[in-house]
Amino acid sequence: MITAQASPMTHTAAGLNHKTWLGGPMFRRVILALITLALLCGPAAAAEKFIVASDCTWPPMEMLDANKQPEGFSTDYLRAMGKAAGFEVEVRNIAWDGIFGGVATGQYDIVASSVTITPEREKQFDFSAPYYEVVQAVVLPAGKSIKTLADLKGKKVGGQIGTTGIFVMRKANVNADIKEYDDVGLAIQDLVGGRLDAVICDDPVAMYYVNKKPDTAGKLNISFKADEKEYYGFTVRKGRKDLVEKLNKGIAAVKASGEDRKIAEKWLGKSN
């Protein structure tokens, strides 16, 4: 009886092919492709996350929801920017008096808190491109009115400490009695309670208290708006040009897509 035997040539060829596959160029190319795929799918490919400081006392631009989480125009705008430009944000509620020191020392990457771009601030920080235009507005009790800031001579005028509203009143030098508050909402409360004659703040904030906030709507009016326009920018530590570029890319994308108008309508209402 003749017993069939495996062909030595076949066995040897198979062995050679196996070794050639394991050590050959094709094997190396497959391994390289697998490593690349793993890197792309792993943490290294995750969107970069930035820590954002926001003083949530400036409604409807920056405020807290029912669960004490940051929300508002600036928060939505920044998240839309991140979606468009490939980064994520973690927004934290940080008091205004420590917000700039925190970004300067690297505790936070970005300040998103309705910060007006000014020459003085640009000496200390870098800014994104402007993302929103505002003017200063004077809020008075319903039925009261002024024609110019000069009409506030001798009056008690409140505003949030370190904001451009306070800067405008000081620059006007109309001999008003200027009162500074940690929170513009506290100034509004004193206005409603008769302890102030006027409050000065950014016009979207003024409109929120005059028209939308349940406990103040109908009790106040905007009697005067300054002519000088201001522009909000996102603030970063001096020298963070890489981050400024990412922010500007996001702002440009949000404006080009029309998403900025949708966000504005959500928080500020339809424009005239």
Side-chain angles (χ1 to χ4, degrees), residues 78-102:
L78 195 54
R79 286 177 175 150
M81 287 165 52
K83 185 177 180 180
F87 61 83
E88 296 178 354
V89 293
E90 178 186 329
V91 184
R92 299 178 183 176
N93 181 25
I94 305 297
W96 180 258
D97 59 2
I99 210 165
F100 293 105

Side-chain angles (χ1 to χ4, degrees), residues 3-264:
T3 303
Q5 296 182 352
S7 168
M9 281 296 292
T10 303
H11 178 73
T12 303
L16 286 172
N17 287 340
H18 179 63
K19 290 178 181 177
T20 302
W21 163 251
L22 288 177
M26 179 63 74
F27 175 78
R28 290 194 293 270
R29 285 196 291 270
V30 170
I31 292 299
L32 182 60
L34 290 173
I35 291 172
T36 302
L37 182 62
L39 290 173
L40 290 174
C41 296
E48 193 170 6
K49 178 181 280 188
F50 299 113
I51 305 301
V52 179
S54 183
D55 177 24
C56 299
T57 62
W58 203 245
M61 310 308 282
E62 300 92 25
M63 54 200 292
L64 296 176
D65 64 17
N67 297 315
K68 304 298 182 183
Q69 296 301 307
E71 67 170 3
F73 175 91
S74 296
T75 300
D76 279 4
Y77 201 108
L78 195 54
R79 286 177 175 150
M81 287 165 52
K83 185 177 180 180
F87 61 83
E88 296 178 354
V89 293
E90 178 186 329
V91 184
R92 299 178 183 176
N93 181 25
I94 305 297
W96 180 258
D97 59 2
I99 210 165
F100 293 105
V103 78
T105 57
Q107 296 179 59
Y108 324 113
D109 298 300
I110 304 166
V111 173
S113 204
S114 296
V115 181
T116 299
I117 302 170
T118 67
E120 293 78 12
R121 287 172 176 163
E122 286 182 306
K123 292 175 183 176
Q124 302 178 64
F125 304 96
D126 283 338
F127 281 86
S128 71
Y131 69 94
Y132 193 73
E133 178 186 292
V134 298
V135 296
Q136 291 304 305
V138 175
V139 182
L140 299 176
K144 302 286 186 179
S145 64
I146 61 170
K147 292 183 178 180
T148 70
L149 292 178
D151 294 334
L152 294 173
K153 180 179 180 180
K155 303 293 184 181
K156 295 179 180 178
V157 181
Q160 185 161 317
I161 188 170
T163 59
T164 46
I166 295 295
F167 303 157
V168 166
M169 283 304 304
R170 286 179 175 160
K171 184 178 179 181
N173 194 27
V174 296
N175 293 318
D177 183 7
I178 301 171
K179 307 288 185 181
E180 299 184 50
Y181 292 76
D182 290 332
D183 179 339
V184 71
L186 298 176
I188 293 291
Q189 287 179 18
D190 277 358
L191 178 61
V192 173
R195 294 177 290 276
L196 287 177
D197 299 300
V199 169
I200 187 166
C201 58
D202 298 349
D203 62 315
V205 179
M207 288 188 288
Y208 173 79
Y209 283 106
V210 169
N211 298 321
K212 298 191 72 174
K213 196 168 191 301
D215 58 346
T216 57
K219 299 178 182 179
L220 306 168
N221 81 96
I222 297 174
S223 180
F224 174 83
K225 287 187 179 182
D227 292 330
E228 187 175 354
K229 295 178 180 178
E230 302 175 10
Y231 298 92
Y232 291 160
F234 297 107
T235 315
V236 305
R237 191 172 72 243
K238 201 72 175 173
R240 288 295 309 271
K241 300 299 183 185
D242 60 322
L243 183 48
V244 170
E245 288 177 5
K246 289 183 176 71
L247 293 172
N248 288 347
K249 179 180 177 182
I251 290 170
V254 168
K255 288 182 176 181
S257 68
E259 187 68 19
D260 61 331
R261 293 188 293 275
K262 294 178 183 177
I263 296 169

